[in-house]
Amino acid sequence: MNRRNFLQTAGLGSLAVAAGASSCTTRMGASSAQAMHHVPKLKLSLDRIVKETVGLRPFRASGPRIAKETLGSKTIVHNYGHGGSGWSLSWGTGNLARELVQTTGEKKVAVLGSGTVGLATARLLQEKGCEVTIYTKDLPPNVTSNLATGTWSPASRVCDPKIATQAFHDQWETATRFSFRRFQFMLGMDDIVSWVDEYGVSNEPFRQQIDPSIGGEVYHLPGLIPERKELSPREHSFGARYVSWRSSMMFNIPSYLHHQLSTFIMLGGKLKVQEIKKLEDIDALPELCVVNCMGLGAKEIFNDQELTPISGQLACLIPQSEVTYKLNARGANIISRKDGIYLGGNGIIGNWDTTPKREVTEKFVDTIQQVMKEMRS
């Protein structure tokens, strides 16, 4: 080969290499546009379940009761009946209750109940200079709030949309936006509030709109948490035909309630373990303004015929450090918290029974196990 032929051949080879590199770069660029979601498999078996519980959500078809009434010489401000949205709406409805308290001019206020709604309401009243005493039958962890899933779900069983009015929807939106802002202030504080990945897995197309039935997430506010995104098969390892993803908020319930209770006491709040059984017990309290955050406990005392329980069973798995996501699949879900990985997904309207059913847990396990088996390596 003479010098000219060598240079010509080398030049063509260089062009080929350059073209190949360019093509490779293009392919890599296209691939990187669809980032793979690495979802660790859950170690799931019945012998890894360490706890089963049933919590009762306080549901009112018309929505939570946020109202003021007079009882003898006292003013009662009601803040109860949040369904499955109590955790998410606690700061927002607490703020609405605080506004009603402020109309009374009273600075010494009683709060009935030490769940997430009662604690948030008490903390907000303290911020306005009120001297607050919480009266409660039990303390965390022996309260209904400890039996929740602890995820951002402000429209979960919050009302029956066939009955709820536009006025309620406006109130709900105000409360939701206020709560969302308050939870953002708590990010980074020992992981009591955190952002997590949430996946939806289904073999059927996701419904664009949820049917207006009791228990559905029928209300939605854009611009708070990111919108759901449907993933292509290249972007995930699930075996299902349809997979969605978004970022969502989660509350680590034990540490959150401990933080709220400790802060309340540190700021001068008083706590009295005292069960309220009848209206006369409220009348006997020294405070002239009382905020009712009793949840289902308000049904008998205030004769609220609309208030009814919606039971929900949870099974707690041993924590798995690499599993930090939330998953909804075929009527079951998992929520990964610091204190364990919770399986759930049911809701029975009007059920007062808090006894866990093993067959319900087995159904959750079977469903999620199948999802895990179908995942690609």
Side-chain angles (χ1 to χ4, degrees):
M1 182 182 293
N2 60 34
R3 183 171 182 272
R4 176 176 293 179
N5 288 338
F6 172 79
L7 290 174
Q8 288 176 341
T9 304
L12 290 172
S14 298
L15 287 173
V17 171
S22 175
S23 175
C24 181
T25 302
T26 302
R27 288 195 300 270
M28 289 177 65
S31 177
S32 64
Q34 292 182 318
M36 183 71 175
H37 288 250
H38 297 285
V39 183
K41 285 189 177 182
L42 178 64
K43 298 174 184 176
L44 185 58
S45 59
L46 288 172
D47 62 353
R48 290 181 63 83
I49 293 173
V50 295
K51 180 174 61 176
E52 294 171 280
T53 60
V54 175
L56 303 180
R57 310 172 183 97
F59 176 75
R60 301 179 80 249
S62 62
R65 186 182 183 190
I66 315 296
K68 183 175 69 172
E69 69 171 331
T70 301
L71 176 64
S73 61
K74 297 190 187 305
T75 299
I76 309 296
V77 173
H78 296 288
N79 181 16
Y80 70 91
H82 297 69
S85 66
W87 273 88
S88 300
L89 292 180
S90 56
W91 290 101
T93 61
N95 181 55
L96 296 175
R98 176 174 66 175
E99 292 175 351
L100 293 176
V101 169
Q102 288 182 283
T103 64
T104 69
E106 292 292 331
K107 285 296 184 180
K108 293 186 176 182
V109 183
V111 172
L112 309 182
S114 62
T116 186
V117 173
L119 288 173
T121 304
R123 289 278 291 102
L124 287 164
L125 287 167
Q126 286 181 318
E127 291 179 6
K128 291 299 182 180
C130 292
E131 297 179 32
V132 185
T133 300
I134 293 177
Y135 297 88
T136 179
K137 175 184 176 181
D138 289 304
L139 293 170
N142 300 314
V143 295
T144 300
S145 292
N146 269 90
L147 305 179
T149 57
T151 57
W152 173 254
S153 54
S156 173
R157 296 178 172 87
V158 71
C159 70
D160 179 351
K162 298 188 295 293
I163 296 176
T165 63
Q166 182 61 42
F168 166 72
H169 181 272
D170 295 342
Q171 184 184 69
W172 172 85
E173 179 173 345
T174 298
T176 299
R177 294 189 183 280
F178 185 93
S179 272
F180 186 80
R181 289 195 301 271
R182 289 298 299 230
F183 283 124
Q184 300 316 293
F185 296 152
M186 306 180 81
L187 291 169
M189 298 172 59
D190 299 323
D191 290 330
I192 59 175
V193 178
S194 58
W195 285 92
V196 298
D197 288 325
E198 178 182 331
Y199 296 95
V201 176
S202 175
N203 286 324
E204 302 294 333
F206 295 109
R207 292 177 293 175
Q208 296 299 312
Q209 294 184 352
I210 296 176
D211 296 333
S213 59
I214 293 176
E217 289 269 1
V218 293
Y219 296 147
H220 174 66
L221 285 180
L224 296 183
I225 66 174
E227 297 295 324
R228 293 184 186 275
K229 173 188 174 184
E230 290 200 27
L231 301 180
S232 71
R234 294 183 179 180
E235 295 177 285
H236 65 84
S237 56
F238 293 105
R241 294 182 62 187
Y242 302 95
V243 174
S244 69
W245 164 79
R246 71 175 178 182
S247 293
S248 189
M249 274 195 302
M250 181 183 69
F251 318 119
N252 281 304
I253 289 179
S255 55
Y256 183 102
L257 291 175
H258 177 75
H259 166 80
Q260 288 286 76
L261 196 55
S262 299
T263 304
F264 170 74
I265 294 173
M266 180 185 69
L267 295 176
K270 297 178 181 178
L271 189 64
K272 294 189 177 182
V273 178
Q274 177 178 329
E275 185 175 3
I276 303 296
K277 296 182 178 180
K278 53 188 182 299
L279 290 177
E280 288 76 10
D281 295 336
I282 298 176
D283 190 49
L285 300 178
E287 295 83 4
L288 294 178
C289 183
V290 179
V291 186
N292 167 26
C293 302
M294 298 179 68
L296 282 170
K299 181 175 180 64
E300 183 175 352
I301 294 174
F302 292 97
N303 193 30
D304 188 337
Q305 298 302 312
E306 188 180 354
L307 188 61
T308 191
I310 300 181
S311 66
Q313 181 164 321
L314 293 176
C316 180
L317 289 167
I318 297 170
Q320 189 176 335
S321 59
E322 71 273 21
V323 175
T324 59
Y325 55 88
K326 178 181 177 182
L327 172 67
N328 300 300
R330 305 164 192 170
N333 56 59
I334 67 170
I335 301 98
S336 302
R337 296 188 341 217
K338 293 292 184 181
D339 58 324
I341 299 173
Y342 286 81
L343 281 67
N346 73 330
I348 306 175
I349 299 174
N351 178 42
W352 289 91
D353 187 4
T354 58
T355 305
K357 305 291 190 299
R358 193 63 173 181
E359 60 270 23
V360 174
T361 294
E362 291 172 351
K363 183 179 179 180
F364 295 154
V365 170
D366 290 344
T367 300
I368 301 300
Q369 272 184 335
Q370 186 60 38
V371 174
M372 296 295 122
K373 289 178 181 177
E374 294 171 359
M375 290 179 69
R376 302 185 299 274
S377 300

